[in-house]
Amino acid sequence: METTNYLKIYPRDDKPGRVILFATRRCATLECSDSLWATMRDGGELTEPEIATLTRLGVLVASRTAEQLEMLDSFNTINAQSRHLAVTVTLTLECNLACPYCFEDPFRGRFVMSPATADLLVERLTERMTEGMDVTVDFYGGEALMKRGLLKEIASRLGAAARELGRSFAFNIFSNGVLLTRRVVEELLPLGLAAVRLTIDGPSDIHDAQRPFVSGSGSFASILANVRDVHRLVPLDIGGNYTCDNYRRFPELLDLLLEEGIDPGKLKAVCFSPVMPKADGSVAGDFNSACCSVNEPWMIESALFLREETLRRGFPVPKLRSGACTIEFAKDWVVGYDGSIYKCPVFMGHEEMRVGSLAEGIKDYRTSHNLDIWKKKECLECAYLPLCFGGCRFFSKLKTGSIDDVNCIRGYLDEALERLVRQDLELQHHPR
């Protein structure tokens, strides 16, 4: 047996003679003695139970060479074995907010999925159920709840098809939260509503400046009231968009949520993100306030600061896990309002990134999306590979106009991963 190539080792300064091992392929954390680590590293003798545990956690492998071959074949295996289709559906590009940084701003307008396209969507997803697949739909926008009637019709028909075919169907909603009232949630739960991802951009003065209604008035009070009313009914995934100038005030929002009686244990996760460039690469306001790379020093510090403050207050955060760009997963689709199919929401509206349509089917996109870009010696030998697999292709495209290189996040992980692991050890189960 050999130690995996995908392993990071950190000293346990508060416990002399012990180390933390983080296996990036399994995202498993193990604390052990220096002597046990030395035995593993040097190929010494281990007991059978130790070998079994270390293999299960991904610390030991039969062969590093075989492990690299498995990594090269990762997505072929995942795509062949998956019986789940995940589809992001854009019902409309209309929105009742006027966020100046809106990602979809370059192609927003009065664009709504037609009844014919909705029929074709239901038909295609039902076909996949007939083939033995379970289906999850994420309704997206614009603001998806502005077309609640269309959402309900699609969900009702897909739910009926799933019951008839013995498959599972559920849906999530990406929403700004303005229309997410208790009555709406109670109306959607029987149709398969599983979770809602909504956005609150910090305390009220920041949020209302960044996410006003189209009329110009603030939306914070409406969204907070809805969160309070529905968070015990449906799992909420709360996000928010910060800049380098305001992220240190976002913990004020967490304190307000607690004051309002929001139970952290009822939330799915809380995770704030930096404002990104718009779909066409432009930004609103000061360019330096937006995130163009996770390797930027302010981005690293803000992500660590906000995650720690979130954990300290007892709110759940997304777990450390293996990650890859959605383009790698054959059974992940993004369907535009017009029936066009893309591999990621960030590519909607870019004709060169369109991979087909509900009417045409999906074409071969291996070349246009450069799927094998990470399959090179430098990446395969990097301990961080399971956490990125080449990184976000949108950021790669921003840099040069095409996906011609990986979006390496080694700088971010060199600075952040140890602190993320320690946050989980110290705060995940022991908040302040």
Side-chain angles (χ1 to χ4, degrees):
M1 302 293 287
E2 299 180 87
T3 56
T4 175
N5 185 66
Y6 307 107
L7 183 69
K8 299 298 292 185
I9 303 96
Y10 305 118
R12 191 76 204 237
D13 296 331
D14 56 335
K15 296 181 181 180
R18 300 188 70 76
V19 294
I20 299 168
L21 307 181
F22 184 75
T24 58
R25 195 174 178 191
R26 302 283 177 83
C27 285
T29 304
L30 171 69
E31 181 185 319
C32 68
S33 66
D34 285 340
S35 59
L36 179 57
W37 163 236
T39 301
M40 287 184 255
R41 180 192 62 215
D42 300 335
E45 187 172 343
L46 296 165
T47 66
E48 287 300 320
E50 287 172 337
I51 292 173
T53 297
L54 294 169
T55 301
R56 176 175 57 81
L57 295 176
V59 175
L60 291 182
V61 295
S63 159
R64 283 192 173 194
T65 300
E67 182 181 42
Q68 285 195 356
L69 292 174
E70 288 180 5
M71 292 298 285
L72 286 168
D73 204 41
S74 293
F75 298 105
N76 291 332
T77 301
I78 291 170
N79 291 329
Q81 293 177 349
S82 174
R83 305 308 301 165
H84 178 249
L85 181 66
V87 185
T88 299
V89 175
T90 305
L91 295 178
T92 178
L93 289 175
E94 295 177 307
C95 189
N96 45 14
L97 298 187
C99 310
Y101 60 74
C102 177
F103 181 83
E104 288 86 10
D105 182 60
F107 47 83
R108 267 181 60 186
R110 300 183 65 84
F111 302 118
V112 180
M113 181 173 284
S114 69
T117 300
D119 287 343
L120 195 53
L121 172 70
V122 172
E123 181 180 335
R124 292 291 178 262
L125 299 190
T126 301
E127 288 171 356
R128 297 304 182 274
M129 292 183 197
T130 303
E131 295 166 0
M133 300 188 70
D134 298 321
V135 172
T136 300
V137 170
D138 290 344
F139 288 109
Y140 187 77
E143 171 52 43
L145 287 176
M146 289 183 70
K147 299 302 171 186
R148 192 164 84 251
L150 181 59
L151 187 158
K152 289 171 59 179
E153 180 185 353
I154 292 171
S156 296
R157 293 170 63 185
L158 289 174
R163 289 188 293 274
E164 180 180 343
L165 296 167
R167 308 312 309 172
S168 70
F169 166 74
F171 68 91
N172 308 303
I173 301 174
F174 283 80
S175 174
N176 58 36
V178 170
L179 300 176
L180 193 73
T181 64
R182 185 180 186 92
R183 181 178 66 81
V184 167
V185 170
E186 290 174 338
E187 187 179 279
L188 297 178
L189 282 170
L191 302 180
L193 176 62
V196 178
R197 167 79 176 184
L198 59 82
T199 306
I200 310 178
D201 280 4
S204 59
D205 60 315
I206 294 175
H207 175 96
D208 285 342
Q210 293 189 175
R211 299 183 69 79
F213 283 107
V214 172
S215 66
S217 60
S219 63
F220 182 86
S222 298
I223 298 169
L224 181 62
N226 287 341
V227 170
R228 186 176 57 240
D229 289 347
V230 307
H231 81 283
R232 296 178 187 277
L233 295 179
V234 63
L236 298 182
D237 194 333
I238 295 180
N241 303 290
Y242 59 81
T243 71
C244 62
D245 300 318
N246 64 28
Y247 72 86
R248 288 196 170 273
R249 291 195 55 206
F250 271 56
E252 296 175 29
L253 169 64
L254 300 173
D255 292 335
L256 180 58
L257 292 177
L258 293 173
E259 292 170 10
E260 290 289 317
I262 310 295
D263 181 356
K266 296 297 183 181
L267 300 181
K268 185 176 180 182
V270 176
C271 183
F272 304 117
S273 304
V275 171
M276 288 177 55
K278 298 181 182 182
D280 62 357
S282 64
V283 296
D286 179 7
F287 184 84
N288 292 320
S289 70
C291 169
C292 292
S293 169
V294 295
N295 294 323
E296 296 170 34
W298 79 268
M299 171 56 205
I300 297 170
E301 178 53 37
S302 63
L304 290 166
F305 168 76
L306 289 171
R307 189 175 190 270
E308 181 167 327
E309 293 300 310
T310 302
L311 283 169
R312 285 192 184 282
R313 289 163 174 78
F315 289 95
V317 299
K319 295 180 180 178
L320 291 173
R321 61 185 180 88
S322 179
C325 184
T326 58
I327 69 172
E328 302 283 0
F329 301 98
K331 298 182 177 76
D332 279 21
W333 300 356
V334 176
V335 178
Y337 72 93
D338 61 353
S340 294
I341 298 178
Y342 303 87
K343 290 303 297 175
C344 179
V346 300
F347 293 140
M348 285 195 301
H350 294 266
E351 182 61 27
E352 74 278 12
M353 303 307 293
R354 183 177 178 272
V355 300
S357 70
L358 294 172
E360 304 163 346
I362 298 177
K363 64 184 181 183
D364 188 337
Y365 53 89
R366 286 174 294 181
T367 300
S368 63
H369 288 63
N370 214 339
L371 291 187
D372 293 336
I373 200 167
W374 57 270
K375 295 182 179 180
K376 55 185 179 180
K377 186 173 186 291
E378 181 183 2
C379 289
L380 286 169
E381 293 181 352
C382 177
Y384 300 133
L385 177 62
L387 302 177
C388 74
F389 286 101
C392 173
R393 303 312 198 268
F394 174 66
F395 282 131
S396 296
K397 195 171 185 296
L398 274 183
K399 293 174 186 176
T400 65
S402 63
I403 304 173
D404 54 9
D405 198 2
V406 297
N407 178 52
C408 182
I409 60 172
R410 182 193 293 270
Y412 168 77
L413 292 170
D414 278 343
E415 290 291 326
L417 184 59
E418 180 178 357
R419 288 173 64 182
L420 293 171
V421 171
R422 292 184 187 278
Q423 282 179 358
D424 283 353
L425 286 173
E426 296 164 11
L427 298 171
Q428 193 74 263
H429 303 295
H430 305 285
R432 182 173 63 196

